[in-house]
């Protein structure tokens, strides 16, 4: 038997209960829907934020491969000259300092030796050039020994830096004489204080010898440059440059190697490489310090600093008035005949700069100029074609 539907019971009191939360009124077929809707909660409107939109560029950058190639070449030349000078390869062209032999060609005579050839004729010995070539190995080993306070010697116990050691001895002699002069400035003279007289002089006087007209062989030789060093404003800078410019050159090797690698990678990649300018500036500072050290070393070998007795003018160990002669002295040919130095004429420089000094000073300048043109601006419109 089918289940019968229950009849709709009227509400008690004739009032229909309100629907619960979330339960809408029941809608019967044919009856209109209630017009009233529940209010929708309004969210607070967000505060408008003003964004500083950067104007989009209409171009992009690419590396100029030709410029990067030349930068790589200059860095490679810098490193190659350093390596050749350190390894003493082709010393005529790769020495950092040169003391050329100025003997005229007319005096370079061949000499006959006691040895005989196969035909019984004496063997003629040609004139040997007495020029001195100083490579970077001498200066670097000497600077390392000075920094570590430990001399660098080879397997036979000989110093690896004889030229650098001689320069340091001359500097120490000048500084020692200068300090002795500074200590004796405030002391009274020997006539006023007999006790200040040297013990060697007193011993000679007691023995009855004529000590006034004689000089003892044990008296140390005082370098007169010590008196002038205090008036030389560039003396401290010059001696510091001579002492440490080889260490600065070792730092320059790292900079040149970085420039070489960046320029090489820029030839094949699409990435934008930066840093050429700052590294070129630092490499230029290395070249300038090396140049100052070379000029100061030449000045010390020349016997500077000196003071003119008539004018009182002091010639510094860094004599910029002869910088051109210093840089081009290695290219000066040997004179045909002996030339007499006239009064007031300056003598030839004992030590002159080699080709590496020119490379260390010129190559960073070339890299610095090229670094301003490594990037090229390309518009996006090229893709619209």
């Amino acid at each position: 038997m089918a289940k019968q539907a229950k009849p709709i019971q009227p509400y008690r009191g004739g009032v229909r209960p309100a629907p619960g939360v979330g339960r809408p009124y029941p809608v019967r077929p044919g009856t209109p829907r209630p017009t009233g809707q529940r209010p929708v909660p309004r969210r607070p409107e967000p505060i408008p934020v003003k964004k500083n939109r950067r104007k989009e560029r209409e171009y992009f950058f690419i590396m100029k491969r030709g410029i990067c190639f030349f930068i790589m070449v200059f860095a490679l030349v810098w490193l190659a000259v350093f390596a050749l000078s350190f390894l003493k390869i082709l010393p005529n062209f790769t020495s950092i300092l040169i003391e050329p032999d100025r003997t005229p060609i007319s005096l370079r005579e061949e000499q006959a030796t006691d040895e005989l050839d196969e035909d019984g004729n004496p063997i003629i010995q040609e004139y040997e050039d007495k020029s001195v070539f100083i490579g970077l190995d001498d200066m670097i080993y000497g600077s390392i020994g000075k920094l570590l306070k430990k001399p660098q010697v080879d397997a036979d116990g000989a110093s690896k830096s004889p030229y650098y050691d001689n320069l340091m001895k001359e500097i120490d002699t000048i500084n020692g004489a200068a300090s002795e002069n500074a200590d004796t400035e405030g002391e009274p003279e020997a006539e006023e204080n007999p006790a200040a007289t040297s013990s060697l002089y007193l011993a000679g006087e007691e023995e009855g010898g004529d000590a006034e007209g004689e000089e003892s062989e044990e008296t140390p030789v005082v370098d007169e440059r010590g008196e002038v060093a205090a008036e030389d404003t560039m003396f401290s800078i010059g001696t510091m440059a001579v002492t440490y410019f080889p260490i600065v050159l070792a730092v320059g090797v790292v900079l040149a190697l970085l420039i070489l690698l960046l320029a090489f990678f820029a030839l094949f990649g699409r990435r934008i490489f930066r840093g050429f300018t700052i590294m070129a500036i630092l490499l230029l500072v290395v070249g300038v310090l090396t140049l100052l050290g070379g000029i100061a070393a030449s000045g010390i070998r020349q016997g500077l600093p000196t003071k003119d007795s008539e004018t009182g003018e002091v010639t510094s160990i860094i004599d910029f008035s002869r910088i051109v002669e210093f840089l081009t002295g290695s290219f000066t040919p040997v004179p045909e005949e002996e030339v007499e130095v006239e009064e007031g004429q300056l003598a030839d420089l004992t030590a002159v700069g080699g080709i590496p000094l020119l490379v260390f000073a010129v190559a960073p300048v070339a890299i610095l100029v090229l670094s301003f043109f490594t990037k090229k601006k390309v518009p996006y419109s090229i893709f619209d074609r």
Side-chain angles (χ1 to χ4, degrees):
M1 183 174 180
K3 188 176 180 180
Q4 296 180 358
K6 293 181 179 181
I8 299 175
Q9 298 292 334
Y11 294 101
R12 293 180 181 179
V15 180
R16 185 179 182 182
V21 179
R23 297 172 57 188
Y25 289 97
V27 179
R28 293 182 180 181
T31 59
R33 291 179 177 271
T35 58
Q37 295 181 356
R38 289 183 302 169
V40 179
R42 295 182 178 180
R43 296 181 180 180
E45 296 181 359
I47 300 174
V49 179
K50 295 182 179 180
K51 296 182 180 180
N52 296 328
R53 295 184 177 180
R54 187 175 59 181
K55 185 179 180 181
E56 295 182 358
R57 295 183 301 184
E58 299 178 354
Y59 56 88
F60 61 96
F61 290 102
I62 61 173
M63 299 296 291
K64 293 182 179 180
R65 296 184 178 182
I67 300 296
C68 294
F69 174 77
F70 284 108
I71 290 178
M72 184 184 68
V73 169
F74 281 112
L76 184 62
V77 169
W78 199 102
L79 292 170
V81 170
F82 181 92
L84 292 175
S85 180
F86 186 84
L87 298 175
K88 295 182 179 179
I89 300 175
L90 300 175
N92 293 344
F93 305 100
T94 60
S95 297
I96 190 75
L97 289 174
I98 302 174
E99 292 189 358
D101 185 5
R102 301 296 185 186
T103 304
I105 296 179
S106 59
L107 300 180
R108 298 189 176 193
E109 299 177 353
E110 298 178 349
Q111 298 179 355
T113 61
D114 298 335
E115 300 179 1
L116 302 177
D117 57 8
E118 299 177 355
D119 299 333
N121 299 322
I123 298 177
I124 304 299
Q125 184 179 4
E126 297 182 356
Y127 179 83
E128 295 182 1
D129 195 343
K130 299 180 178 61
S131 299
V132 180
F133 302 97
I134 301 94
L136 276 175
D137 59 324
D138 187 303
M139 309 301 290
I140 290 178
Y141 281 127
S143 186
I144 292 175
K146 180 77 173 179
L147 190 64
L148 301 179
K149 297 182 180 180
K150 183 179 180 181
Q152 302 296 311
V153 295
D154 55 12
D156 299 331
S159 176
K160 294 182 178 180
S161 56
Y163 193 85
Y164 182 91
D165 296 341
N166 290 333
L167 289 175
M168 293 300 106
K169 287 180 181 178
E170 291 193 44
I171 292 175
D172 293 340
T173 302
I174 297 172
N175 290 331
S179 61
E180 289 179 3
N181 292 333
D183 293 339
T184 55
E185 282 181 358
E187 297 181 0
E189 297 180 358
E191 296 179 356
E192 299 177 0
N193 187 8
T197 310
S198 64
S199 59
L200 181 63
Y201 177 79
L202 293 175
E205 187 177 4
E206 291 175 358
E207 295 175 0
D210 188 6
E212 295 181 358
E214 297 178 359
E215 295 181 2
S216 174
E217 296 180 356
E218 299 179 359
T219 304
V221 178
V222 179
D223 198 330
E224 297 179 354
R225 291 180 290 180
E227 303 176 359
V228 188
E231 303 179 22
D232 184 5
T233 57
M234 298 293 293
F235 182 77
S236 59
I237 298 176
T239 53
M240 189 177 298
V242 172
T243 306
Y244 297 110
F245 86 84
I247 299 297
V248 176
L249 271 178
V251 178
V253 172
V254 179
L255 293 172
L257 186 60
L258 289 176
I259 293 174
L260 175 65
L261 293 177
L262 289 180
F264 178 76
F265 293 146
L267 293 177
F268 303 99
R270 296 181 180 180
R271 181 180 175 184
I272 299 299
F273 292 91
R274 299 177 176 86
F276 290 106
T277 303
I278 184 64
M279 286 190 291
I281 293 174
L282 294 177
L283 197 62
L284 180 59
V285 172
V286 171
V288 171
L289 290 177
T290 304
L291 182 60
L292 289 178
I295 296 175
S298 175
I300 292 172
R301 295 294 295 164
Q302 198 72 14
L304 301 177
T306 58
K307 184 176 182 180
D308 193 345
S309 57
E310 297 180 359
T311 61
E313 183 180 358
V314 176
T315 304
S316 173
I317 59 173
I318 302 181
D319 190 3
F320 291 106
S321 63
R322 307 186 71 178
I323 187 173
V324 177
E325 181 182 355
F326 172 76
L327 292 175
T328 60
S330 59
F331 305 103
T332 304
V334 180
E336 296 287 342
E337 301 290 339
E338 186 175 3
V339 180
E340 296 182 1
V341 180
E342 300 178 358
E343 186 178 356
Q345 183 180 359
L346 297 175
D348 294 333
L349 292 176
T350 304
V352 297
I355 295 178
L357 280 176
L358 292 172
V359 174
F360 295 154
V362 174
V365 176
I367 295 174
L368 179 61
V369 173
L370 292 175
S371 65
F372 298 124
F373 307 99
T374 54
K375 294 185 295 184
K376 181 181 179 181
K377 190 184 297 184
V378 180
Y380 285 107
S381 57
I382 61 171
F383 299 108
D384 299 337
R385 298 175 182 176

